[in-house]
Amino acid sequence: MNYEEILDELKSQRDETFRRFNERIANVAEGTSIGVRIPILRAYARRMIARTDFSWDTLDSFPNTYLEIRMLKCLCTGYAKLSFPQLCDRIRKCVPVIDGWAVCDVFCSTLKSVRKHRNEYLPELENFIGEKSEFSQRFAYVLMLGCYMEKEYLPFVFEMLDRAQSQYYYTMMGAAWLLAEVLVRFYEEGVSYLRTGKLSDTAKNKAISKACESFRVDDSQKKFLKSLKK
């Protein structure tokens, strides 16, 4: 398994139209992606970790020039059968690779195994929030969105939202997305947080807007939420 081989295989599956489109929406520099569609990349990652010559050290050594390589490092981590300590170690290595919403959100969508260790993983989430960087925080918020949307975790979710570095756009959007889902699923608790939580007004307003897009929020609730905008 080597970098040139992986690049050649990925390039054989490129879609030039998708590359141009995806570079715009993923906000990456032109020419820094190959143009492999996500379902194909997911399947490739699964095959990759099944190879007899697969090596984490080799994968980690690959340059992060291409979007697909950054995603592969994260996808392989999500799909591999790892013990909980191994999973934590792999995630810690992958989070610094995240440099955009696309890598972040695709990575979080593969980490379903975190649900089996939700209580154990809380300190890891708190550490990522504590790094106060744009994508370490977005990672934590998006992962909570997928793995922690249960009432018992709301106090932790709200505590982490209080620490959001909302001056960073992708942090703010991740926090708003998380709070919007709280409003949809746990309306009263979400409204209470809107009134008293320390998350920025900008993020709260965005959360209200996103929650009001949901059919699960009724018209009277939407009207009230809009009255809370600042």
Short mmCIF file of all heavy atoms in Angstrom, two decimals, residues 167-213:
data_model
loop_
_atom_site.label_atom_id
_atom_site.label_comp_id
_atom_site.label_asym_id
_atom_site.label_seq_id
_atom_site.Cartn_x
_atom_site.Cartn_y
_atom_site.Cartn_z
N GLN A 167 -17.14 33.02 16.98
CA GLN A 167 -16.54 33.92 16.00
C GLN A 167 -16.06 33.16 14.76
O GLN A 167 -15.85 33.75 13.71
CB GLN A 167 -15.38 34.70 16.61
CG GLN A 167 -14.10 33.90 16.89
CD GLN A 167 -14.10 33.25 18.27
OE1 GLN A 167 -15.16 32.99 18.84
NE2 GLN A 167 -12.91 33.00 18.79
N TYR A 168 -15.90 31.84 14.90
CA TYR A 168 -15.53 31.00 13.77
C TYR A 168 -16.82 30.52 13.08
O TYR A 168 -17.69 29.93 13.73
CB TYR A 168 -14.72 29.79 14.22
CG TYR A 168 -13.42 30.13 14.90
CD1 TYR A 168 -13.12 29.60 16.15
CD2 TYR A 168 -12.48 30.95 14.29
CE1 TYR A 168 -11.92 29.89 16.78
CE2 TYR A 168 -11.28 31.25 14.91
CZ TYR A 168 -11.01 30.73 16.15
OH TYR A 168 -9.83 31.02 16.77
N TYR A 169 -16.92 30.73 11.80
CA TYR A 169 -18.16 30.45 11.08
C TYR A 169 -18.58 28.99 11.22
O TYR A 169 -19.75 28.70 11.53
CB TYR A 169 -18.00 30.80 9.60
CG TYR A 169 -19.22 30.47 8.78
CD1 TYR A 169 -20.34 31.28 8.82
CD2 TYR A 169 -19.26 29.32 7.99
CE1 TYR A 169 -21.49 30.96 8.09
CE2 TYR A 169 -20.39 29.01 7.24
CZ TYR A 169 -21.50 29.82 7.29
OH TYR A 169 -22.62 29.51 6.56
N TYR A 170 -17.66 28.05 10.99
CA TYR A 170 -18.06 26.65 10.99
C TYR A 170 -18.31 26.12 12.40
O TYR A 170 -19.08 25.17 12.58
CB TYR A 170 -17.05 25.79 10.24
CG TYR A 170 -17.09 26.06 8.75
CD1 TYR A 170 -16.08 26.76 8.11
CD2 TYR A 170 -18.19 25.64 8.00
CE1 TYR A 170 -16.13 27.03 6.74
CE2 TYR A 170 -18.26 25.90 6.64
CZ TYR A 170 -17.24 26.60 6.02
OH TYR A 170 -17.31 26.87 4.68
N THR A 171 -17.69 26.72 13.40
CA THR A 171 -18.06 26.41 14.78
C THR A 171 -19.47 26.89 15.05
O THR A 171 -20.31 26.16 15.59
CB THR A 171 -17.09 27.08 15.76
OG1 THR A 171 -15.80 26.51 15.64
CG2 THR A 171 -17.57 26.90 17.21
N MET A 172 -19.74 28.13 14.67
CA MET A 172 -21.06 28.71 14.90
C MET A 172 -22.15 27.89 14.23
O MET A 172 -23.19 27.60 14.83
CB MET A 172 -21.09 30.15 14.39
CG MET A 172 -22.37 30.92 14.70
SD MET A 172 -23.69 30.70 13.47
CE MET A 172 -22.98 31.56 12.07
N MET A 173 -21.92 27.48 12.98
CA MET A 173 -22.93 26.72 12.26
C MET A 173 -23.13 25.34 12.88
O MET A 173 -24.26 24.83 12.94
CB MET A 173 -22.53 26.59 10.80
CG MET A 173 -22.60 27.91 10.03
SD MET A 173 -24.27 28.62 9.99
CE MET A 173 -25.10 27.46 8.89
N GLY A 174 -22.06 24.71 13.34
CA GLY A 174 -22.19 23.41 14.00
C GLY A 174 -22.97 23.52 15.30
O GLY A 174 -23.84 22.69 15.59
N ALA A 175 -22.67 24.56 16.09
CA ALA A 175 -23.39 24.78 17.34
C ALA A 175 -24.86 25.08 17.07
O ALA A 175 -25.76 24.59 17.78
CB ALA A 175 -22.74 25.92 18.12
N ALA A 176 -25.13 25.91 16.06
CA ALA A 176 -26.51 26.25 15.71
C ALA A 176 -27.28 25.02 15.26
O ALA A 176 -28.47 24.83 15.62
CB ALA A 176 -26.51 27.32 14.62
N TRP A 177 -26.65 24.18 14.48
CA TRP A 177 -27.28 22.95 14.00
C TRP A 177 -27.65 22.05 15.17
O TRP A 177 -28.75 21.49 15.24
CB TRP A 177 -26.31 22.26 13.04
CG TRP A 177 -26.83 21.06 12.31
CD1 TRP A 177 -28.14 20.63 12.24
CD2 TRP A 177 -26.07 20.13 11.55
NE1 TRP A 177 -28.21 19.49 11.47
CE2 TRP A 177 -26.96 19.17 11.03
CE3 TRP A 177 -24.71 20.04 11.24
CZ2 TRP A 177 -26.54 18.10 10.24
CZ3 TRP A 177 -24.28 18.99 10.45
CH2 TRP A 177 -25.19 18.03 9.95
N LEU A 178 -26.72 21.93 16.13
CA LEU A 178 -26.96 21.11 17.31
C LEU A 178 -28.12 21.67 18.13
O LEU A 178 -29.03 20.93 18.54
CB LEU A 178 -25.69 21.04 18.15
CG LEU A 178 -25.77 20.28 19.48
CD1 LEU A 178 -26.15 18.82 19.27
CD2 LEU A 178 -24.43 20.38 20.22
N LEU A 179 -28.11 22.98 18.37
CA LEU A 179 -29.17 23.59 19.15
C LEU A 179 -30.51 23.50 18.43
O LEU A 179 -31.56 23.28 19.06
CB LEU A 179 -28.83 25.04 19.47
CG LEU A 179 -29.87 25.81 20.29
CD1 LEU A 179 -30.22 25.10 21.60
CD2 LEU A 179 -29.37 27.23 20.58
N ALA A 180 -30.51 23.64 17.12
CA ALA A 180 -31.76 23.51 16.36
C ALA A 180 -32.37 22.14 16.55
O ALA A 180 -33.59 21.99 16.70
CB ALA A 180 -31.49 23.78 14.88
N GLU A 181 -31.54 21.11 16.55
CA GLU A 181 -32.05 19.75 16.73
C GLU A 181 -32.59 19.57 18.15
O GLU A 181 -33.59 18.86 18.35
CB GLU A 181 -30.95 18.73 16.44
CG GLU A 181 -31.44 17.30 16.35
CD GLU A 181 -32.41 17.04 15.21
OE1 GLU A 181 -32.46 17.85 14.26
OE2 GLU A 181 -33.14 16.04 15.28
N VAL A 182 -31.95 20.20 19.12
CA VAL A 182 -32.48 20.16 20.48
C VAL A 182 -33.88 20.80 20.50
O VAL A 182 -34.81 20.27 21.11
CB VAL A 182 -31.55 20.89 21.47
CG1 VAL A 182 -32.22 21.03 22.84
CG2 VAL A 182 -30.23 20.15 21.62
N LEU A 183 -34.04 21.94 19.84
CA LEU A 183 -35.34 22.62 19.80
C LEU A 183 -36.41 21.75 19.15
O LEU A 183 -37.57 21.75 19.57
CB LEU A 183 -35.21 23.95 19.04
CG LEU A 183 -34.49 25.06 19.78
CD1 LEU A 183 -34.10 26.19 18.82
CD2 LEU A 183 -35.38 25.62 20.90
N VAL A 184 -36.01 21.00 18.14
CA VAL A 184 -36.97 20.13 17.45
C VAL A 184 -37.37 18.95 18.33
O VAL A 184 -38.55 18.59 18.41
CB VAL A 184 -36.38 19.64 16.12
CG1 VAL A 184 -37.23 18.53 15.52
CG2 VAL A 184 -36.25 20.81 15.13
N ARG A 185 -36.41 18.38 19.02
CA ARG A 185 -36.69 17.15 19.79
C ARG A 185 -37.11 17.43 21.23
O ARG A 185 -37.89 16.67 21.80
CB ARG A 185 -35.45 16.25 19.79
CG ARG A 185 -35.04 15.77 18.42
CD ARG A 185 -34.04 14.64 18.55
NE ARG A 185 -33.45 14.28 17.28
CZ ARG A 185 -32.78 13.15 17.06
NH1 ARG A 185 -32.64 12.28 18.04
NH2 ARG A 185 -32.25 12.89 15.87
N PHE A 186 -36.53 18.47 21.81
CA PHE A 186 -36.79 18.78 23.22
C PHE A 186 -37.10 20.28 23.32
O PHE A 186 -36.29 21.07 23.82
CB PHE A 186 -35.57 18.42 24.08
CG PHE A 186 -35.08 17.01 23.88
CD1 PHE A 186 -33.96 16.76 23.10
CD2 PHE A 186 -35.75 15.93 24.45
CE1 PHE A 186 -33.50 15.46 22.90
CE2 PHE A 186 -35.29 14.63 24.25
CZ PHE A 186 -34.17 14.39 23.48
N TYR A 187 -38.28 20.63 22.84
CA TYR A 187 -38.63 22.03 22.64
C TYR A 187 -38.50 22.86 23.92
O TYR A 187 -37.84 23.92 23.90
CB TYR A 187 -40.06 22.12 22.10
CG TYR A 187 -40.55 23.53 21.87
CD1 TYR A 187 -40.13 24.27 20.77
CD2 TYR A 187 -41.42 24.13 22.78
CE1 TYR A 187 -40.57 25.57 20.56
CE2 TYR A 187 -41.87 25.42 22.58
CZ TYR A 187 -41.45 26.13 21.47
OH TYR A 187 -41.88 27.42 21.27
N GLU A 188 -39.09 22.44 25.01
CA GLU A 188 -39.08 23.23 26.23
C GLU A 188 -37.66 23.44 26.75
O GLU A 188 -37.30 24.56 27.16
CB GLU A 188 -39.94 22.55 27.32
CG GLU A 188 -41.41 22.46 26.96
CD GLU A 188 -42.07 23.83 26.81
OE1 GLU A 188 -41.58 24.80 27.43
OE2 GLU A 188 -43.07 23.92 26.07
N GLU A 189 -36.88 22.39 26.74
CA GLU A 189 -35.50 22.51 27.21
C GLU A 189 -34.70 23.44 26.29
O GLU A 189 -33.86 24.23 26.75
CB GLU A 189 -34.83 21.14 27.28
CG GLU A 189 -35.37 20.23 28.38
CD GLU A 189 -36.64 19.47 27.97
OE1 GLU A 189 -37.19 19.76 26.88
OE2 GLU A 189 -37.05 18.59 28.74
N GLY A 190 -34.95 23.33 24.98
CA GLY A 190 -34.26 24.19 24.03
C GLY A 190 -34.61 25.65 24.21
O GLY A 190 -33.74 26.52 24.17
N VAL A 191 -35.89 25.93 24.45
CA VAL A 191 -36.32 27.31 24.67
C VAL A 191 -35.68 27.86 25.94
O VAL A 191 -35.24 29.02 25.99
CB VAL A 191 -37.86 27.39 24.76
CG1 VAL A 191 -38.30 28.74 25.31
CG2 VAL A 191 -38.47 27.16 23.39
N SER A 192 -35.62 27.04 26.98
CA SER A 192 -34.97 27.47 28.22
C SER A 192 -33.51 27.85 27.96
O SER A 192 -33.01 28.86 28.49
CB SER A 192 -35.06 26.36 29.27
OG SER A 192 -34.41 26.74 30.46
N TYR A 193 -32.83 27.04 27.13
CA TYR A 193 -31.44 27.37 26.82
C TYR A 193 -31.36 28.66 26.00
O TYR A 193 -30.45 29.48 26.23
CB TYR A 193 -30.74 26.23 26.08
CG TYR A 193 -29.30 26.58 25.81
CD1 TYR A 193 -28.34 26.43 26.80
CD2 TYR A 193 -28.91 27.13 24.59
CE1 TYR A 193 -27.02 26.81 26.59
CE2 TYR A 193 -27.59 27.51 24.37
CZ TYR A 193 -26.66 27.36 25.38
OH TYR A 193 -25.36 27.75 25.18
N LEU A 194 -32.26 28.87 25.07
CA LEU A 194 -32.25 30.12 24.30
C LEU A 194 -32.31 31.32 25.23
O LEU A 194 -31.68 32.36 24.96
CB LEU A 194 -33.43 30.16 23.33
CG LEU A 194 -33.34 29.28 22.07
CD1 LEU A 194 -34.66 29.34 21.31
CD2 LEU A 194 -32.20 29.75 21.16
N ARG A 195 -33.05 31.21 26.30
CA ARG A 195 -33.23 32.34 27.22
C ARG A 195 -32.02 32.55 28.13
O ARG A 195 -31.73 33.69 28.51
CB ARG A 195 -34.48 32.11 28.07
CG ARG A 195 -35.79 32.29 27.29
CD ARG A 195 -36.96 31.88 28.13
NE ARG A 195 -38.23 32.40 27.60
CZ ARG A 195 -39.42 31.89 27.88
NH1 ARG A 195 -39.51 30.83 28.68
NH2 ARG A 195 -40.51 32.42 27.37
N THR A 196 -31.36 31.48 28.52
CA THR A 196 -30.34 31.61 29.55
C THR A 196 -28.94 31.18 29.12
O THR A 196 -27.96 31.50 29.80
CB THR A 196 -30.72 30.78 30.79
OG1 THR A 196 -30.78 29.38 30.43
CG2 THR A 196 -32.08 31.21 31.33
N GLY A 197 -28.82 30.46 28.01
CA GLY A 197 -27.52 29.92 27.60
C GLY A 197 -26.56 31.00 27.12
O GLY A 197 -26.97 32.09 26.69
N LYS A 198 -25.28 30.69 27.16
CA LYS A 198 -24.23 31.66 26.83
C LYS A 198 -23.81 31.64 25.36
O LYS A 198 -22.96 32.41 24.95
CB LYS A 198 -23.00 31.39 27.70
CG LYS A 198 -23.25 31.58 29.19
CD LYS A 198 -22.02 31.22 30.01
CE LYS A 198 -22.30 31.34 31.50
NZ LYS A 198 -21.11 30.91 32.30
N LEU A 199 -24.40 30.76 24.56
CA LEU A 199 -24.09 30.74 23.14
C LEU A 199 -24.41 32.11 22.54
O LEU A 199 -25.36 32.77 22.96
CB LEU A 199 -24.93 29.65 22.45
CG LEU A 199 -24.67 29.39 20.96
CD1 LEU A 199 -23.26 28.86 20.74
CD2 LEU A 199 -25.70 28.39 20.42
N SER A 200 -23.65 32.52 21.55
CA SER A 200 -23.82 33.85 20.96
C SER A 200 -25.21 34.02 20.37
O SER A 200 -25.85 33.06 19.92
CB SER A 200 -22.78 34.09 19.88
OG SER A 200 -23.06 33.30 18.73
N ASP A 201 -25.67 35.26 20.34
CA ASP A 201 -26.97 35.56 19.74
C ASP A 201 -27.01 35.16 18.27
O ASP A 201 -28.04 34.70 17.77
CB ASP A 201 -27.29 37.05 19.88
CG ASP A 201 -27.61 37.45 21.31
OD1 ASP A 201 -27.93 36.56 22.13
OD2 ASP A 201 -27.53 38.66 21.62
N THR A 202 -25.89 35.34 17.58
CA THR A 202 -25.83 34.97 16.16
C THR A 202 -26.13 33.49 15.98
O THR A 202 -26.92 33.09 15.11
CB THR A 202 -24.45 35.30 15.57
OG1 THR A 202 -24.20 36.69 15.71
CG2 THR A 202 -24.40 34.93 14.08
N ALA A 203 -25.50 32.65 16.80
CA ALA A 203 -25.72 31.20 16.71
C ALA A 203 -27.13 30.83 17.15
O ALA A 203 -27.77 29.96 16.54
CB ALA A 203 -24.69 30.46 17.55
N LYS A 204 -27.63 31.48 18.19
CA LYS A 204 -29.00 31.21 18.63
C LYS A 204 -30.00 31.57 17.54
O LYS A 204 -30.95 30.82 17.28
CB LYS A 204 -29.31 31.99 19.91
CG LYS A 204 -28.63 31.45 21.16
CD LYS A 204 -29.00 32.28 22.37
CE LYS A 204 -28.36 31.76 23.65
NZ LYS A 204 -28.71 32.59 24.83
N ASN A 205 -29.80 32.71 16.90
CA ASN A 205 -30.71 33.12 15.83
C ASN A 205 -30.69 32.13 14.67
O ASN A 205 -31.73 31.81 14.08
CB ASN A 205 -30.33 34.52 15.33
CG ASN A 205 -30.65 35.60 16.34
OD1 ASN A 205 -31.40 35.39 17.29
ND2 ASN A 205 -30.08 36.78 16.14
N LYS A 206 -29.50 31.65 14.34
CA LYS A 206 -29.39 30.66 13.27
C LYS A 206 -30.08 29.36 13.67
O LYS A 206 -30.75 28.72 12.84
CB LYS A 206 -27.92 30.41 12.95
CG LYS A 206 -27.67 29.38 11.87
CD LYS A 206 -28.27 29.77 10.53
CE LYS A 206 -27.53 30.92 9.89
NZ LYS A 206 -28.03 31.17 8.51
N ALA A 207 -29.94 28.97 14.93
CA ALA A 207 -30.61 27.76 15.42
C ALA A 207 -32.12 27.91 15.32
O ALA A 207 -32.83 26.96 14.92
CB ALA A 207 -30.20 27.48 16.86
N ILE A 208 -32.63 29.06 15.66
CA ILE A 208 -34.07 29.31 15.56
C ILE A 208 -34.53 29.18 14.11
O ILE A 208 -35.54 28.53 13.81
CB ILE A 208 -34.42 30.70 16.13
CG1 ILE A 208 -34.25 30.70 17.66
CG2 ILE A 208 -35.85 31.10 15.75
CD1 ILE A 208 -34.33 32.08 18.29
N SER A 209 -33.77 29.79 13.20
CA SER A 209 -34.13 29.71 11.78
C SER A 209 -34.15 28.28 11.29
O SER A 209 -35.07 27.86 10.57
CB SER A 209 -33.14 30.54 10.95
OG SER A 209 -33.24 31.91 11.26
N LYS A 210 -33.13 27.49 11.69
CA LYS A 210 -33.06 26.10 11.25
C LYS A 210 -34.20 25.28 11.86
O LYS A 210 -34.79 24.44 11.19
CB LYS A 210 -31.70 25.50 11.59
CG LYS A 210 -30.55 26.08 10.77
CD LYS A 210 -29.21 25.48 11.18
CE LYS A 210 -29.07 24.06 10.69
NZ LYS A 210 -28.98 23.97 9.23
N ALA A 211 -34.49 25.51 13.14
CA ALA A 211 -35.57 24.77 13.79
C ALA A 211 -36.91 25.07 13.13
O ALA A 211 -37.75 24.18 12.99
CB ALA A 211 -35.62 25.11 15.28
N CYS A 212 -37.08 26.32 12.72
CA CYS A 212 -38.35 26.72 12.09
C CYS A 212 -38.53 26.12 10.70
O CYS A 212 -39.63 26.19 10.13
CB CYS A 212 -38.46 28.24 12.05
SG CYS A 212 -38.76 28.99 13.66
N GLU A 213 -37.49 25.55 10.15
CA GLU A 213 -37.60 24.86 8.87
C GLU A 213 -38.17 23.45 9.02
O GLU A 213 -38.54 22.82 8.03
CB GLU A 213 -36.23 24.78 8.19
CG GLU A 213 -35.66 26.13 7.78
CD GLU A 213 -34.22 26.04 7.31
OE1 GLU A 213 -33.68 24.91 7.30
OE2 GLU A 213 -33.63 27.08 6.97
#
